[in-house]
Amino acid sequence: MKELLKKAAVHIDASRFEAAAEVLTEALANDPDNTEVLLNRGVVLGILGNFDGAIADLNRAIELEPDEAALYENRGNALTGKGDFVRALADYSRAADLKPDESSIHLSSGIARLRLNQSEAAIADFTRALEIAPDLVDAYRYRGAAYSQSGDPAGALADFTEVVKMQPDEVSGYFNRGAAR
């Protein structure tokens, strides 16, 4: 099993996601209740755009380990990929309950809230992500968008200015900052 997981990891690292999915499927044939393999294949299937397959793997993993935050977070990501932001938020909420100091959970929750036009709640999620990981540039980028959506150009300008400071070679930061003015 360890050899198959290593082989899958090499494929993932090289962005050979279809090959990784094949190896992980082989691993599941040997051990269908292995939550690590179910999680990894779920993530890979999500990257490949097979959100239903990802959700199925993550549902099974959650049945086996209902207190594992990463399973809910990644199922939330697959649901977000499908555009099912309401159900994704339920998963992000459960993941945050299990692991409240994981910045990626709050970032993902904020993105789903932003898509649902829940600007104030999205701002709160991005702010929490930044409290945990102050250098998380995507949290500034998305929070700036949430400030724009909520009609707060000063907040948007401040966050997009942070993006420009953190990534001075990234053109989109300048564009967003200019649009916020």
Side-chain angles (χ1 to χ4, degrees):
M1 180 62 66
K2 286 184 181 183
E3 287 303 313
L4 289 174
L5 283 171
K6 286 180 188 177
K7 187 175 179 182
V10 168
H11 287 307
I12 291 167
D13 189 51
S15 299
R16 294 187 303 259
F17 300 112
E18 290 178 3
E22 290 175 15
V23 171
L24 292 166
T25 298
E26 181 183 344
L28 281 174
N30 295 328
D31 186 359
D33 290 337
N34 186 310
T35 55
E36 181 181 7
V37 177
L38 287 163
L39 169 62
N40 286 314
R41 191 175 75 167
V43 170
V44 167
L45 291 175
I47 290 168
L48 291 171
N50 180 353
F51 301 118
D52 290 330
I55 291 165
D57 279 357
L58 294 161
N59 284 344
R60 179 64 185 137
I62 287 168
E63 288 173 13
L64 297 167
E65 286 190 44
D67 293 327
E68 178 55 50
L71 301 174
Y72 293 95
E73 179 181 8
N74 283 288
R75 186 173 69 180
N77 293 343
L79 290 163
T80 293
K82 284 187 70 162
D84 190 347
F85 305 116
V86 173
R87 286 180 52 211
L89 281 175
D91 275 351
Y92 295 139
S93 177
R94 177 69 175 130
D97 287 344
L98 293 167
K99 199 167 185 182
D101 291 332
E102 182 62 49
S103 62
S104 63
I105 295 168
H106 300 285
L107 178 68
S108 296
S109 178
I111 292 168
R113 290 183 193 284
L114 188 61
R115 301 281 191 256
L116 290 169
N117 295 314
Q118 298 175 358
S119 304
E120 297 303 320
I123 290 167
D125 280 338
F126 298 132
T127 299
R128 179 65 183 128
L130 287 165
E131 289 168 355
I132 299 165
D135 294 333
L136 188 59
V137 69
D138 282 340
Y140 284 108
R141 182 177 291 112
Y142 282 110
R143 190 173 70 176
Y147 278 130
S148 290
Q149 188 180 77
S150 72
D152 181 353
L157 182 60
D159 277 356
F160 292 138
T161 297
E162 279 300 312
V163 171
V164 168
K165 287 179 188 174
M166 295 171 83
Q167 293 183 328
D169 295 331
E170 179 63 39
V171 175
S172 66
Y174 295 96
F175 177 82
N176 290 331
R177 185 173 70 175
R181 291 183 182 192

